[in-house]
Amino acid sequence: MERLPPWCILLMCLAVATADPLPQYYNAIFSFGDSFSDTGNFVIINSGKLPNMPKFPPPYARCSNGRLVIDFLAEALGLPLLPPSANKGTNFSQGANFAVMGATALDLKFFRDNNVWSIPPFNTSMNCQLEWFQEVKQTICSSPQECKEYFGKALFVFGEFGGNDYSFAWKADWTNEQVKGMVPKVVASMIGGIEAVLDEGARHVVVPGNLPAGCIPITLTVYATEDASEYDPRTGCLKRFNSVALYHNALLRIELDRLQRRRPESRIIYADYYTPYIHFARTPHLYGYKRGALRVCCGGGGPYNYNMSASCGLPGATVCEDPDAHVSWDGVHLTEAPYRFIANTWLKGPYAHPPLASIIRDDMVY
Ligand SMILES: *[C@@H]1O[C@H](CO)[C@@H](O)[C@H](O)[C@H]1NC(C)=O
Ligand SMILES: *[C@@H]1O[C@H](CO)[C@@H](O)[C@H](O)[C@H]1NC(C)=O
Ligand SMILES: *[C@@H]1O[C@H](CO)[C@@H](O)[C@H](O)[C@H]1NC(C)=O
C-alpha cells in the first residue's frame, strides 16, 4: 500500500503489513456495474456509433488514468484483468465484466414512464447485464450442476449501481424528496439482481455502495450555488447530494443484512466507497493528494478544473502532470491512486464488511 496516512499505523497498517498474500481461492470474477468498473464495454458497444469515440486497445478503455478497483481486486486474487463481456468470442472461463458506463439499477422504462429524458437510450441497465450474463454462462459451463459449482467458486462484484439513476433524476430537476423517493426502488432492484446471481450458485458477493455524489467535481460545478449553507464546511461537498448517497447506502446495508439472513450459505459483503472518499475530502494531504479531493486532473478550467464543454477527452482539456496528487481523474471518476487504496481496504479492511480476505480465510479453514 502506498501513501499510508500517519494514523494508519494505529488502525490498520500492522494488519496490512503482516497479512499473508491472499491465497488463490476464486476460479473467476464476474462484475456488474457502471463506469466505476467498466473495463471496455462502453467503448466496444459504441464504437462506430458515437461521434469522436477514440480507439482504446485493451487493456485501456477505462474512465481513469489507470486501473480501477475491479482491476486491483483481480490482481490481488491472482486472476487476469476482467475481459469486457461485449468482447464476443473471448474465453470467459476466468471471469467477465458486464459493467458499462452510464448503467442504471432501474430499467430505461422507469425513466421513460417518469418523464426523465436526460437518460440516453442505451440498453445497459442491471437487468440487461444479467441477460448478458446468461449468454456468457452458456459458453463456460453446461449442466445446471456444473454451472452452480463453477459460480460457487467465483467472486461476484455487484455494483456500484444507483449513482446514475440519481444523477439522471437530478438532471431532470427532481426535488430532494423525489430523488430520495427513488432510493427504495433502486435498492430493491439491486437486491433482486443479487438474488438472481445467488440462484445461479454465487456464494461470495461484494456489493459496493454509492460514492459521495456531492463531492464529485461535476456535481460541484453543475449545481454550484452562492448559498454557503449548502456545502459541508469540513469537506466542501454539496450536502443534499451526499445525503441521498448516505440514505442509499444505509438502506442497502439494511437490505443486504436481511438478504444475508435469508441466504446463510452465502457471504454478502458491503463495500464502502463513501467513507474513504469523505476521508480524502477532509484530509487529502494525509493520503498524498496534494491537489485535494475536489480538483480534477484531466479537465478544462473553472474552480474545480471541471468544464462541461472542455471535459476530459474533448479539445480544451489538459491532463495534469501529477495525477497521483488528485483524487478526481475527469470530474466524475477517480484516478488510479485512490482506486488502489480503496481496493486494499476492501480486501483487508476497514472499508468492507466483512473484508474479503477474512471470508476467504474463514472458508479455507472450515
Ligand atoms: C478457456 O480457458 C481455460 C483456462 O483459462 C481453459 O481450460 C479452457 O480450455 C479454455 N476454453 C476454450 C474453449 O478455449
Ligand atoms: C432497448 O430495448 C427496448 C426494449 O427491448 C427496445 O425497444 C429498444 O429498441 C432498445 N434500444 C436500443 C438503443 O437498443
Ligand atoms: C470552458 O471551455 C470552453 C471551451 O474550451 C472555454 O471557452 C471556456 O472559457 C472554459 N471555461 C472556463 C471557466 O475555463
Side-chain angles (χ1 to χ4, degrees), residues 300-302 307 309-310 315-316:
N307 180 345
S309 43

Side-chain angles (χ1 to χ4, degrees), residues 91-94 139:
N91 182 342
F92 293 114
S93 66
Q94 288 185 290
T139 72

